[in-house]
Amino acid sequence: MPSTGNTERAYERFETARGVLPPRAWARSDAPRIDLNGRWRFRLSPDPSAPIDFLDGLPAAWSDIDIPSHWQLRGHGAPIYTNQAYPFPLDPPRVPDDNPTGDYVRTFDVPELWREGRVFLRFEGVDSFATVWVNGIELGSTSGSRLANEFDITESVRPGERNVVAVRVLQWSSNSYLEDQDMWWLSGIFRDVSVELRRAGSIGDHRIQADFDAQTGTGFLRVDTDVPATVVVEELGIDAPVGQLIAIDQVEPWSAEQPRLYRGRIVGSGEIIEIVVGFRRVEVDDGLIKVNGRRVQFRGVNRHDFHPEQGRAVDAETMLSDVLLMKRHNINAVRTSHYPPHPHFLELCDKYGLWVIDECDFETHGFGAEGDDPGAGNPVDDVRWQSALVSRMRRMVARDRNHPSIVMWSLGNECGPGVNVEAMSSAARELDSTRLIHYERDFTSAQVDVYSRMYLTYEEVEQIGRGDEPPLDDPALTAHRNAQPFILAEYAHAMGNGPGGLSEYQELFDRYPRLQGGFVWEWIDHGLRTTDTSGRTFWAYGGDFGEELHDGNFVADGLLFPDRTPSPGLLELKKVLEPVRLDLVTGGIRVTNAQDIVGTSLFSAEWVLEEEGIARARGSFPLPDISARGESVVPLPDFPATDAETWFTVRIVLAASTSWASAGHELSASQWQIRPPQSVAAVRHAPVAAPLVAAPLVGPGEFDARGRLQRFAGIDLVSPCLDVWRAPIDNDFGYYGEPLEPFWRAEGLHRMQQRVDSIRWTDADLQVITRTGAAGSRLALLSTWRWSTDGADLRLSLTVEQVGDWTVPLPRLGIRMGLPAFVHTVEWFGRGPGEAYSDSARAQLVGRYASEVDDLQTPYLMPQENGNRLDARWVVFGIGGNRGLRVSSLEPFSFTTRRWTSEDLDAAKHPNDLVAGDRVWLNLDVAQYGLGSASCGPGVHPRYLRELFPARLDLRFAVGDAQ
Ligand code: IPT
């Protein structure tokens, strides 16, 4: 009688692995292999009491499922999203009786020749616990969802025959307590499955150590295997027995910036393994993380394995697109939050060059660790879990240690402090002393090599940069920590519209050597592709599958949309992480190489001079080869004379193609205003030319008796009114930061009423005074609208004052008006082409742009304010034919244009809830509040908190030929 788990509840042991082989390195080997990915038979039962009646063959009544996959994404059961909370009662190591149980069966033919050797069955990842049978014989069970589990099936497999492999997977097990990462709970066999012949002379485990001495340029290679073998690296002339240290003069080292790999192989009598060798030394020296003797700065992101249809069952193409997108956006590092990724991802990091923090599959956030207190029952502080945890750590290191890209081993994420931290750290050091140890929740830094924190404020980061962070209770520990380099394991929470304030972090990283960069949270939104009842696609987040407990759209906090479209936040990050910085200085352009290792020979510069957005001259210049962190001044090109506002833009591009982008790929752009708009002062004070002809007309503007603009040049309008509301962005909610949204709503900013207080017609203008305030509130905004004309155009001069004791900053300040729905095209001169906000504007350049109204929207998974175009000088809305309604100002303004109101945006839960109405709504703003990162972290940097009052907006409305 096989042990079924349902009687013994083997899945509730502290360590559930049974019958598994010792871990070994992931390998590209010529060992005969049968790929068991593909079609299996599948049945989902509500709990493990389902009969084990599927060991002998393919049950006809079952459905098919493709592996690797999660059953919840194949029509069985449903995904659950929680951030910290466990979706079951907290009673470790017990789990609920209601425990979805997935049974899998398939057959595979094993060649007769496979009698000569041992046969291994390998699972790269099964969530969360599996029991495995081959030909009816139970082999054991798994642990560690994101780690490999390998079984020796030699005794049960039948070479020359058809074999049956059967697997029972439980959704919940004691493993679930160790795997409480902030992501969807998704179950099943979600990584590759294979069977391998291990002939006599198979290499077993293999270990590659490739050290580099930056002083002498010498590389040291040592390869170890379980059986005698030879290591061959032809390019280096190496053909030697394993187990010895080989010194090689003048090797080219590996780095993320120059990922030099030497390809080779390990040749055993029964197996050949393809290897890559990257020589490098990672150390903490003089309080700094150095690779090959150089301080490096991590410009990183936190990456989950994620695909919007496949969950964590990510294919090779998707992994490659992640790596290429990172490289193309100036990202040089990745933390594999919060578990070891699919092993192929690490191969790609080796090949294309990314520094990696490889993190163990371990998080117990739901136990509520706070400071020194891990929270009752937390496995991190319970020795009964120690061997399971140490084993997880060892299995990750053993699987991954041959990758040159890995510079740190991370024990896990947010488990709190506890007795098992030291054991895990020591286990990693014992298996590999060539990487640094990382664990953000070791606040004392006692067991780690790097001081690491998350979401700190700018002030806190700066304090650490200066080395005067608050001391610990123990002076020895304080001294130990003070001598450590610092990284932000997570910062700049990219949830919804944001993050803002990226460059202020980067400035700190650049100013203080101890601050060695950070990892933005996070790479991609985990939205799952779903269709609504009308067949429209949307990206589902927590709650969309009817979960009783969930954390909503907190799962959508990435720099990429789920389909891997870059968000505005990623474009901003790309600019902030630019590898070459340009500044205009006397004598030319100062070029600073912001890279740590390589020179600038790969790059060249292209420039353009634009007068009001129209190119007047362009050219290019080669960059001098500036060494890492060095600088040089290049002369400015000769510019032709211009009259209107003129900008000089320089783009840094790849001079030649690389493995990750083609020649011409833009890495960054910088811009300077060479000539301001003309005669600002003169025009601003120009007298109004023509007096009013007859009320209620002001030039082309038609007003009603209450002084409200009804029509402009024959175009019907919803009259302009003062607007202070924006559909709150995730950062306004301040989930793990300081919220503003509740204060805004408490003040009624989302339901302001406008009253006309007075109307006065003069010879020169129409003056309307309005009072805008919310029901129940004494606070108000007093606006004076002065409408005038020069005979042709309509001018508005608006001033706004505050009445009462305002304590909250305003979401926005400007006017809102309705244009007819036939408006489609928008053209403007200002920042673009993308959206920008005061604290996230570096990636958007001043220029002339055109767009459809519909393309000005950014479809954040949870609808929220978006699409702001910053620093506009003029904007023209197409009104048919070649004609346009033009709004312009001498002071740059912001505008937002959409087919629904801010209130619609606020109420919507998904972008597909938003339907075009009979108006195009236009906001013209003096300013909008910044973005910050308060959904998890600090709010808007003080640099962007400007005093708005007394506020003034001067606009000119005209109709004419479109630009
Ligand atoms: C922290 C987690 O490490 C990460 O997994 C994710 O939850 C992120 O922040 C927020 O999206 S938890 C935070 C409450 C500090």
Side-chain angles (χ1 to χ4, degrees):
M1 181 64 196
S3 67
T4 59
N6 59 337
T7 49
E8 292 182 13
R9 301 200 35 137
Y11 54 92
E12 290 178 334
R13 296 183 185 145
F14 293 103
E15 170 59 278
T16 61
R18 215 161 23 89
V20 291
L21 290 161
R24 62 181 175 121
W26 192 74
R28 293 223 170 255
S29 136
D30 73 342
R33 221 167 145 266
I34 303 167
D35 184 351
L36 293 188
N37 289 346
R39 219 138 265 294
W40 290 54
R41 302 294 283 165
F42 180 74
R43 172 185 70 185
L44 185 70
S45 307
D47 61 66
S49 68
I52 304 202
D53 54 359
F54 54 97
L55 305 184
D56 306 324
L58 299 179
W62 291 18
S63 55
D64 279 344
I65 198 166
D66 58 304
I67 278 181
S69 71
H70 298 283
W71 68 61
Q72 290 90 347
L73 302 181
R74 291 295 183 272
H76 306 273
I80 300 172
Y81 168 58
T82 59
N83 167 12
Q84 302 176 10
Y86 289 92
F88 47 78
L90 214 53
D91 180 26
R94 311 286 315 271
V95 293
D97 286 345
D98 290 339
N99 189 357
T101 300
D103 293 324
Y104 296 79
V105 196
R106 72 163 280 167
T107 57
F108 60 105
D109 294 330
V110 176
E112 182 66 44
L113 281 175
W114 280 37
R115 286 190 194 290
E116 292 155 32
R118 304 210 66 83
V119 181
F120 288 5
L121 168 62
R122 182 171 172 111
F123 295 86
E124 295 294 347
V126 184
D127 195 326
S128 75
F129 167 87
T131 309
V132 181
W133 296 264
V134 168
N135 298 326
I137 299 169
E138 186 183 335
L139 297 156
S141 55
T142 66
S143 73
S145 297
R146 269 69 63 169
L147 286 163
N149 283 274
E150 207 167 22
F151 299 91
D152 185 337
I153 63 170
T154 317
E155 307 309 325
S156 44
V157 84
R158 295 190 212 112
E161 288 179 38
R162 178 148 295 186
N163 293 263
V164 180
V165 53
V167 185
R168 164 161 286 192
V169 180
L170 301 193
Q171 175 149 352
W172 308 123
S173 67
S174 55
N175 292 307
S176 310
Y177 283 100
L178 307 181
E179 298 169 5
D180 185 30
Q181 291 93 345
D182 175 12
M183 61 190 190
W184 294 102
W185 295 91
L186 292 170
S187 322
I189 305 175
F190 74 100
R191 283 187 188 160
D192 312 304
V193 186
S194 59
V195 178
E196 213 173 64
L197 175 64
R198 311 298 299 160
R199 290 177 288 223
S202 285
I203 282 163
D205 191 15
H206 73 284
R207 178 178 186 192
I208 305 163
Q209 293 177 84
D211 184 25
F212 180 71
D213 181 345
Q215 296 291 321
T216 60
T218 309
F220 298 92
L221 177 64
R222 184 186 165 123
V223 174
D224 291 286
T225 53
D226 285 350
V227 299
T230 306
V231 56
V232 181
V233 184
E234 266 140 20
E235 204 184 336
L236 294 171
I238 296 173
D239 186 341
V242 297
Q244 61 190 41
L245 187 65
I246 306 167
I248 313 109
D249 273 350
Q250 301 308 312
V251 295
E252 292 174 51
W254 187 96
S255 70
E257 291 175 11
Q258 212 161 37
R260 178 66 160 100
L261 293 176
Y262 293 91
R263 297 192 176 270
R265 53 194 190 278
I266 305 172
V267 183
S269 60
E271 183 178 19
I272 299 176
I273 290 179
E274 305 283 333
I275 59 167
V276 296
V277 178
F279 293 94
R280 86 272 172 291
R281 181 179 296 174
V282 185
E283 62 194 332
V284 172
D285 175 35
D286 204 10
L288 298 173
I289 302 168
K290 290 185 184 168
V291 181
N292 303 334
R294 309 258 191 118
R295 170 190 183 258
V296 294
Q297 188 186 75
F298 299 110
R299 299 174 197 174
V301 290
N302 280 278
R303 175 189 177 275
H304 274 270
D305 276 336
F306 184 75
H307 184 283
E309 279 136 38
Q310 315 300 342
R312 286 184 290 280
V314 175
D315 59 285
E317 200 186 319
T318 303
M319 294 182 233
L320 177 61
S321 69
D322 276 354
V323 169
L324 295 180
L325 278 164
M326 287 178 194
K327 293 292 287 185
R328 290 173 188 163
H329 289 87
N330 301 328
I331 288 160
N332 75 1
V334 53
R335 171 174 176 235
T336 71
S337 52
H338 300 302
Y339 45 83
H342 187 288
H344 178 56
F345 179 74
L346 298 170
E347 286 191 303
L348 296 171
C349 294
D350 295 343
K351 177 173 172 192
Y352 292 95
L354 288 166
W355 308 118
V356 176
I357 301 183
D358 197 7
E359 192 151 273
C360 194
D361 193 358
F362 182 35
E363 172 160 347
T364 60
H365 209 161
F367 286 90
E370 284 290 348
D372 289 344
D373 178 9
N378 191 332
V380 77
D381 197 34
D382 180 340
V383 286
R384 291 175 301 170
W385 294 90
Q386 191 165 98
S387 77
L389 293 175
V390 165
S391 148
R392 276 173 192 246
M393 199 65 203
R394 297 179 70 89
R395 287 160 63 198
M396 172 176 75
V397 175
R399 194 195 76 162
D400 293 344
R401 64 185 163 178
N402 295 329
H403 293 284
S405 53
I406 297 173
V407 292
M408 294 187 215
W409 300 119
S410 177
L411 307 189
N413 183 57
E414 296 189 309
C415 303
V419 290
N420 297 326
V421 169
E422 183 176 355
M424 291 180 80
S425 168
S426 316
R429 288 186 202 281
E430 192 188 301
L431 283 188
D432 177 36
S433 58
T434 71
R435 269 75 166 211
L436 309 178
I437 301 292
H438 172 271
Y439 177 53
E440 190 268 345
R441 282 303 138 112
D442 181 1
F443 290 152
T444 66
S445 282
Q447 303 303 330
V448 297
D449 299 311
V450 176
Y451 182 29
S452 170
R453 298 288 302 274
M454 50 173 74
Y455 305 111
L456 298 190
T457 63
Y458 302 94
E459 294 72 23
E460 290 168 315
V461 173
E462 180 152 24
Q463 222 179 20
I464 295 169
R466 287 196 309 261
D468 62 5
E469 68 267 24
L472 299 159
D473 294 341
D474 176 346
L477 277 179
T478 303
H480 172 76
R481 195 185 62 190
N482 282 353
Q484 289 183 333
F486 177 82
I487 61 165
L488 277 170
E490 296 175 22
Y491 78 110
H493 197 245
M495 185 179 188
N497 192 348
L502 282 167
S503 58
E504 284 69 25
Y505 278 111
Q506 189 58 36
E507 281 167 21
L508 293 172
F509 302 155
D510 289 338
R511 190 172 321 138
Y512 297 98
R514 187 188 186 196
L515 307 180
Q516 295 198 254
F519 296 77
V520 168
W521 186 268
E522 70 177 304
W523 177 236
I524 184 166
D525 286 341
H526 308 203
L528 292 170
R529 188 189 290 278
T530 311
T531 33
D532 67 13
T533 46
S534 330
R536 286 170 307 182
T537 297
F538 70 96
W539 304 117
Y541 50 75
D544 287 331
F545 299 101
E547 302 104 293
E548 58 181 20
L549 198 65
H550 67 83
D551 287 292
N553 65 318
F554 207 64
V555 77
D557 50 6
L559 294 163
L560 294 179
F561 286 96
D563 63 359
R564 292 187 155 70
T565 305
S567 70
L570 180 56
L571 303 184
E572 180 75 1
L573 182 67
K574 177 186 179 188
K575 167 64 182 165
V576 169
L577 301 183
E578 60 193 346
V580 171
R581 279 186 207 123
L582 305 179
D583 297 284
L584 212 53
V585 293
T586 21
I589 308 167
R590 186 176 59 222
V591 183
T592 308
N593 182 357
Q595 301 171 109
D596 298 314
I597 315 273
V598 299
T600 49
S601 61
L602 247 182
F603 310 134
S604 66
E606 291 173 357
W607 63 268
V608 60
L609 188 84
E610 288 169 325
E611 185 178 14
E612 208 172 305
I614 310 273
R616 296 293 180 223
R618 55 172 84 241
S620 61
F621 53 88
L623 289 186
D625 192 9
I626 305 163
S627 58
R629 296 282 164 190
E631 59 180 54
S632 169
V633 174
V634 299
L636 275 180
D638 286 334
F639 297 144
T642 52
D643 298 321
E645 182 175 350
T646 303
W647 286 77
F648 170 51
T649 306
V650 182
R651 299 188 148 80
I652 300 292
V653 300
L654 284 180
S657 295
T658 63
S659 62
W660 46 269
S662 319
H665 166 77
E666 183 179 315
L667 296 149
S668 74
S670 307
Q671 215 185 22
W672 301 274
Q673 193 187 49
I674 296 296
R675 174 180 285 279
Q678 257 196 334
S679 331
V680 172
V683 178
R684 185 181 289 155
H685 302 296
V688 173
L692 291 169
V693 201
L697 291 179
V698 181
E702 249 179 80
F703 289 78
D704 68 5
R706 305 197 50 73
R708 293 176 301 204
L709 178 64
Q710 298 295 298
R711 219 177 311 281
F712 177 78
I715 306 166
D716 262 338
L717 302 175
V718 176
S719 68
C721 65
L722 197 78
D723 194 7
V724 294
W725 183 239
R726 74 175 181 191
I729 64 170
D730 289 308
N731 292 312
D732 297 332
F733 288 98
Y735 304 110
Y736 295 91
E738 281 187 15
L740 275 171
E741 181 268 353
F743 298 100
W744 287 346
R745 283 200 211 268
E747 299 293 4
L749 301 188
H750 58 308
R751 49 174 172 77
M752 299 290 264
Q753 304 174 10
Q754 184 166 301
R755 183 183 73 204
V756 176
D757 270 6
S758 70
I759 310 174
R760 214 175 117 229
W761 295 92
T762 73
D763 282 354
D765 59 16
L766 161 64
Q767 289 180 20
V768 183
I769 295 180
T770 59
R771 187 183 191 279
T772 308
S777 172
R778 284 194 183 87
L779 302 182
L781 295 164
L782 219 51
S783 311
T784 306
W785 308 66
R786 290 194 177 80
W787 297 97
S788 64
T789 180
D790 58 3
D793 301 342
L794 176 67
R795 291 185 181 186
L796 167 65
S797 173
L798 173 71
T799 52
V800 188
E801 292 162 55
Q802 285 173 304
V803 178
D805 187 14
W806 285 83
T807 50
V808 289
L810 294 177
R812 67 158 18 108
L813 182 65
I815 63 173
R816 184 206 300 205
M817 59 197 282
L819 304 178
F822 60 67
V823 168
H824 282 278
T825 57
V826 185
E827 200 178 343
W828 74 99
F829 175 47
R831 264 183 215 286
E835 67 179 33
Y837 295 82
S838 56
D839 59 346
S840 179
R842 283 167 178 74
Q844 304 303 327
L845 303 178
V846 176
R848 193 181 280 231
Y849 303 98
S851 171
E852 292 288 313
V853 170
D854 296 340
D855 296 335
L856 292 174
Q857 321 308 315
T858 308
Y860 293 110
L861 272 58
M862 164 70 96
Q864 54 196 277
E865 183 64 44
N866 69 84
N868 187 56
R869 264 48 184 193
L870 192 69
D871 291 340
R873 280 74 168 155
W874 52 253
V875 51
V876 177
F877 299 93
I879 52 170
N882 202 27
R883 302 197 16 107
L885 163 61
R886 178 185 165 109
V887 184
S888 57
S889 177
L890 293 170
E891 286 298 327
F893 61 96
S894 296
F895 73 93
T896 313
T897 312
R898 48 185 163 236
R899 296 190 181 277
W900 37 80
T901 61
S902 300
E903 290 73 20
D904 296 333
L905 200 55
D906 188 2
K909 293 284 169 252
H910 297 285
N912 56 319
D913 297 339
L914 293 163
V915 285
D918 57 359
R919 287 285 167 189
V920 164
W921 293 99
L922 169 63
N923 276 90
L924 299 160
D925 291 322
V926 177
Q928 194 179 138
Y929 195 69
L931 304 177
S933 190
S935 53
C936 186
V940 173
H941 189 282
R943 189 180 282 180
Y944 303 101
L945 301 176
R946 64 178 243 236
E947 181 49 64
L948 291 177
F949 294 95
R952 186 178 173 121
L953 182 64
D954 287 291
L955 297 171
R956 182 167 172 159
F957 298 84
V959 160
D961 289 345
Q963 295 294 312

